[in-house]
């Protein structure tokens, strides 16, 4: 799949489960093993608790994918939000919290 790759509403959720290592690295610029390592290290800092207004918060894996995809491709928040089915405001929080946690752990 090239730059004209079809992106459905399940682009991230299905891709996370089904992309092979080459496809995963092409999209996020890290291998699945590195992604899982980073996620394991920072997930406690970025996990969101369900609330009455948001009973299904954005998962740590999705937050990390948002951050890595945006860093890797330089796309807008709107584009990443569309790919991962996350609203703009939630996306801003996910990106900033994940990037901050990532920086605190690895810098």
């Amino acid at each position: 799949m090239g730059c004209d790759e079809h992106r459905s509403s399940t682009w991230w959720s299905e891709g996370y489960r089904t992309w092979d290592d080459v496809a995963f690295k092409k999209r996020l610029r890290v291998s699945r093993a590195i992604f899982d390592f980073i996620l394991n290290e920072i997930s406690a800092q970025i996990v969101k608790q369900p609330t009455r207004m948001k009973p299904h918060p954005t998962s740590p894996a999705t937050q990390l994918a948002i951050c890595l995809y945006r860093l890797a491709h330089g796309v807008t928040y709107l584009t990443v939000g569309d790919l991962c089915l996350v609203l703009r405001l939630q996306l801003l929080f996910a990106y900033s919290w994940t990037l901050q946690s990532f920086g605190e752990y690895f810098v």
Side-chain angles (χ1 to χ4, degrees):
M1 295 185 172
C3 59
D4 295 328
E5 171 183 6
H6 175 69
R7 293 185 173 125
S8 70
S9 62
T10 59
W11 180 83
W12 169 245
S13 60
E14 290 296 314
Y16 183 62
R17 292 184 312 102
T18 61
W19 292 329
D20 63 19
D21 290 336
V22 172
F24 196 90
K25 191 168 186 174
K26 173 186 166 190
R27 289 161 178 87
L28 299 181
R29 303 293 195 260
V30 296
S31 68
R32 186 179 296 272
I34 296 295
F35 180 89
D36 290 339
F37 172 78
I38 295 169
L39 182 61
N40 185 53
E41 295 299 320
I42 68 170
S43 63
Q45 289 88 5
I46 63 173
V47 69
K48 305 291 184 216
Q49 299 301 316
T51 65
R52 191 176 81 232
M53 297 299 287
K54 187 152 178 60
H56 304 288
T58 306
S59 73
T62 300
Q63 292 180 59
L64 179 57
I66 287 166
C67 184
L68 292 176
Y69 192 87
R70 186 159 193 280
L71 289 171
H73 299 281
V75 296
T76 65
Y77 289 115
L78 181 61
T79 299
V80 181
D82 288 348
L83 292 175
C84 297
L85 296 177
V86 177
L87 299 175
R88 185 173 185 273
L89 183 59
Q90 295 166 345
L91 188 70
L92 290 170
F93 285 119
Y95 180 76
S96 63
W97 279 105
T98 304
L99 193 57
Q100 179 180 356
S101 296
F102 186 77
E104 288 174 2
Y105 184 83
F106 292 101
V107 174

